[in-house]
Amino acid sequence: MSLKDFEHDMQRCSRCSFCKWLPFENQQHMDFIKGCPSAARYNFHAYAASGKWNMAYSFLNGRIGYSDAFQDAVFKCMMDGCCDVSCKTVQDIEPLQHMFELRKQFVEDGQMPPEHMLTIEGLKKEDNMLQGKKADRGKWAEGMKVKDLTKEKARVAFRAGCRYSFDEELRPVVRSALQILIDAGVDVGIWGRDEVCCGGRAESMGFAGELTKYADHTLEALKAAGVEVLINPCSDCYQCYKVEYDKIGKKPPVEILHITEYLHRLIQDGTVKLTKKVPLTVTYHDPCHLGRLSEPWIHWKGKEIKVMGQMICHEPPKKYRRGARGVYDIPREILRSIPGINLVEMYRTRESAWCCGAAGGVRDAYPDFANWTAAERIKEARAVGAKALVSACGWCRRNFIDAMEDGAPKIEVYDIIELVEKAM
Ligand code: SF4
Ligand code: SF4
């Protein structure tokens, strides 16, 4: 795809601004009806999906060129897709996919934020997004008795992902998850220091080549290890393997699961028993990559037809991803099955969840915006009476912690795996 492929969508954007808000049917509380963090924070049309359509259209037709203001609007965006869900309640167009192409174009022309270059240079050198040393990647699993997939075959592969591998505060989460699998008798292995990035976050910054490179690597690694199931505690990795690889025609021939999906099976069949009480009122934050963005990719091949000289239709009709088929119920069912947990819902949930602020390279280049976005979510969690905010992604957890250190209101933050472990 290229930016040009979205030109008709650019023309069809009706400038209705639905993309800035939650769909009407999902609006529950006046204070929490905004959906686009970028438009909410910068309060200017250019920062919403619609503004980016406008600018991209002018850019394509030579009416504007690169500028600091253009770059600012394009990259101060989490690529979380809340706009995409809202827009598709009124239009069949692809705001999020268009933004991927817009960023790709910026990167091809060397117009990315310098902080992104630093991250990507680290990725090219060390195969991770945190600028950690390649040799330290397997440290999170030190001392654990688990198969080494570089030497042995296993039915199930467990991938920690960059965030959990290099963020020392979060490492216990993936150790716990892996230990639960081992204790449950799962034939599981890890790649340890040979694990590499999935490439998904790089793609969201506009570096599409990194996605292809890591997809090829992953396909080979999975084949060599004879893996049938790939389990991810990181929602970003999960979405990347399940959706982004499929999008570029490199879907892995294995079952791709998030750790919550696998744990849910183990809880359902009685292998994992949650018996200890965890008396806590919690709310669940849907990670964008486990929720709306993890809806399976829909391939379409056909042509655009102009009807009555102006309306664009697709032949055959195109089906759209609208975010409703993400993983929403399973994490909630796990939480409800923990004795003592009182689960209360926030006002923006499921496909209309507010982003944690960590995605799309915003954490790398605009940490104040990332922290502001997380603070907004914490306020929402407190507004519904939650004592703890639970997520199922290391990036969300890290961003909430950092936001609190930066002055956001306080709340306890957990990864869902930690609560499962407490209940066992
Ligand atoms: S909701 Fe969609 S059609 Fe409406 S302004 Fe936003 S991008 Fe355009
Ligand atoms: S991806 Fe998120 S931040 Fe970017 S325009 Fe859409 S809702 Fe706003």
Side-chain angles (χ1 to χ4, degrees):
M1 298 292 279
S2 73
L3 204 49
K4 182 83 181 153
D5 293 322
F6 290 93
E7 190 169 15
H8 286 139
D9 277 11
M10 293 171 197
Q11 293 165 345
R12 288 162 66 214
C13 165
S14 60
R15 318 296 185 240
C16 64
S17 284
F18 270 50
C19 48
K20 297 170 188 164
W21 310 87
L22 263 52
F24 288 136
E25 56 275 30
N26 290 353
Q27 295 182 2
Q28 297 183 47
H29 190 297
M30 266 304 287
D31 293 342
F32 303 104
I33 55 173
K34 290 181 179 171
C36 170
S38 188
R41 172 78 194 270
Y42 298 104
N43 204 20
F44 202 71
H45 188 69
Y47 288 80
S50 174
K52 292 189 250 284
W53 283 126
N54 294 174
M55 290 185 291
Y57 190 48
S58 296
F59 176 76
L60 256 187
N61 290 286
R63 290 193 294 276
I64 62 167
Y66 289 115
S67 66
D68 289 348
F70 192 10
Q71 186 194 76
D72 205 58
V74 169
F75 287 94
K76 280 183 176 163
C77 161
M78 280 78 177
M79 304 293 280
D80 58 274
C82 194
C83 52
D84 200 78
V85 168
S86 296
C87 174
K88 285 172 179 168
T89 61
V90 288
Q91 283 277 21
D92 279 346
I93 54 177
E94 299 277 11
L96 183 63
Q97 294 312 314
H98 144 260
M99 290 191 276
F100 271 102
E101 291 307 324
L102 189 52
R103 285 190 172 197
K104 223 166 89 185
Q105 186 69 55
F106 267 69
V107 167
E108 274 169 27
D109 294 338
Q111 299 292 326
M112 66 297 260
E115 295 84 355
H116 285 191
M117 265 324 294
L118 268 182
T119 303
I120 298 301
E121 276 163 18
L123 177 67
K124 287 180 195 284
K125 190 161 165 250
E126 304 289 352
D127 289 323
N128 70 80
M129 293 298 281
L130 273 78
Q131 295 165 27
K133 291 271 166 249
K134 214 185 264 198
D136 294 338
R137 180 142 198 151
K139 276 195 172 166
W140 67 270
E142 255 172 15
M144 296 187 78
K145 288 192 174 30
V146 61
K147 280 186 177 176
D148 177 349
L149 292 176
T150 63
K151 300 188 185 109
E152 301 161 270
K153 290 194 187 290
R155 195 180 78 77
V156 174
F158 181 88
R159 256 195 93 267
C162 300
R163 171 53 63 187
Y164 285 119
S165 296
F166 288 99
D167 190 324
E168 289 188 29
E169 206 181 333
L170 301 188
R171 280 181 184 164
V173 173
V174 272
R175 284 181 71 89
S176 299
L178 180 57
Q179 195 58 53
I180 293 171
L181 298 180
I182 294 168
D183 293 346
V186 177
D187 177 24
V188 61
I190 61 170
W191 282 284
R193 62 171 287 170
D194 284 351
E195 183 183 299
V196 297
C197 182
C198 61
R201 289 181 77 84
E203 185 212 12
S204 75
M205 292 179 184
F207 294 84
E210 302 310 303
L211 182 76
T212 309
K213 171 181 147 188
Y214 288 112
D216 288 338
H217 177 102
T218 302
L219 290 177
E220 273 179 36
L222 287 168
K223 195 173 167 197
V227 167
E228 292 170 28
V229 183
L230 177 61
I231 298 182
N232 303 277
C234 171
S235 294
D236 277 46
C237 302
Y238 166 72
Q239 190 270 351
C240 181
Y241 292 133
K242 182 176 158 188
V243 181
E244 301 304 319
Y245 284 11
D246 191 10
K247 183 167 101 182
I248 59 168
K250 294 181 185 287
K251 186 180 178 181
V254 301
E255 191 178 18
I256 312 283
L257 294 175
H258 186 260
I259 183 70
T260 52
E261 294 177 295
Y262 204 88
L263 283 179
H264 187 253
R265 289 180 190 174
L266 295 177
I267 294 166
Q268 292 289 303
D269 70 14
T271 310
V272 167
K273 295 188 190 345
L274 306 179
T275 50
K276 289 193 192 140
K277 240 183 163 179
V278 185
L280 195 60
T281 297
V282 306
T283 192
Y284 175 68
H285 165 77
D286 290 286
C288 307
H289 287 83
L290 185 59
R292 56 181 166 253
L293 297 177
S294 86
E295 179 162 327
W297 187 254
I298 302 173
H299 290 275
W300 176 80
K301 211 171 163 209
K303 55 183 181 189
E304 287 186 335
I305 320 169
K306 219 172 221 185
V307 181
M308 295 163 69
Q310 56 174 10
M311 278 174 60
I312 300 294
C313 295
H314 295 103
E315 182 60 48
K318 199 171 171 182
K319 287 193 177 139
Y320 289 83
R321 294 162 69 236
R322 298 178 200 276
R325 291 165 65 215
V327 178
Y328 301 116
D329 294 324
I330 281 177
R332 288 173 168 81
E333 281 173 25
I334 292 176
L335 287 171
R336 285 197 192 95
S337 64
I338 297 176
I341 289 275
N342 173 32
L343 175 64
V344 291
E345 291 286 2
M346 286 187 274
Y347 301 111
R348 293 173 287 193
T349 58
R350 302 173 75 95
E351 71 270 26
S352 286
W354 178 262
C355 176
C356 75
V362 169
R363 248 192 85 84
D364 306 65
Y366 313 105
D368 59 324
F369 178 33
N371 289 345
W372 175 85
T373 306
E376 291 298 300
R377 192 57 159 164
I378 294 171
K379 284 181 203 162
E380 188 176 346
R382 287 163 54 108
V384 296
K387 294 284 171 277
L389 180 53
V390 183
S391 189
C393 178
W395 292 95
C396 303
R397 169 115 186 259
R398 167 49 59 206
N399 217 46
F400 290 135
I401 294 169
D402 286 358
M404 286 191 284
E405 281 170 6
D406 194 38
K410 299 284 181 280
I411 195 163
E412 290 174 51
V413 180
Y414 290 102
D415 192 296
I416 193 167
I417 297 162
E418 293 172 289
L419 295 183
V420 167
E421 195 192 19
K422 276 178 191 285
M424 287 174 69

